[in-house]
Amino acid sequence: MEEKIKRLNDIKEDVGFDLYRKAVTRVVASYYSKVLSNRGKKVKRTEVWDRTNLKLKELGLEEVSYEFMRTVV
């Protein structure tokens, strides 16, 4: 996940901030979905949403809505 985010940081100015934020959100949400499913837990969209928003805050990005998360997970 961290490597993908670093690559997205390299092209952030070329693709635009909104597309960058959406791409990072998809990478993070996909990562957490896989982690939860590998642990044998049922993947709950709300749990992925919470973890994704925490990671986005850590990266200095705005949180995403639950509606957007429904399109990702």
Side-chain angles (χ1 to χ4, degrees):
M1 172 179 69
E2 296 297 329
E3 182 64 32
K4 290 180 181 181
I5 292 173
K6 286 179 186 177
R7 290 181 186 173
L8 287 170
N9 277 332
D10 294 339
I11 62 168
K12 177 168 56 172
E13 292 178 10
D14 296 334
V15 298
F17 184 74
D18 192 47
L19 184 58
Y20 164 76
R21 183 173 151 254
K22 288 179 182 177
V24 169
T25 301
R26 289 182 191 276
V27 167
V28 172
S30 174
Y31 172 77
Y32 285 127
S33 293
K34 287 178 186 174
V35 166
L36 291 172
S37 67
N38 286 342
R39 290 184 181 169
K41 295 178 87 176
K42 182 178 178 184
V43 178
K44 296 179 183 174
R45 213 179 273 143
T46 54
E47 191 172 347
V48 174
W49 178 51
D50 287 337
R51 291 175 185 237
T52 300
N53 278 334
L54 286 173
K55 183 64 175 178
L56 292 175
K57 281 184 184 180
E58 180 183 313
L59 295 171
L61 299 171
E62 293 179 32
E63 296 180 352
V64 294
S65 66
Y66 183 76
E67 181 180 348
F68 178 76
M69 189 56 63
R70 288 179 58 195
T71 64
V72 176
V73 178

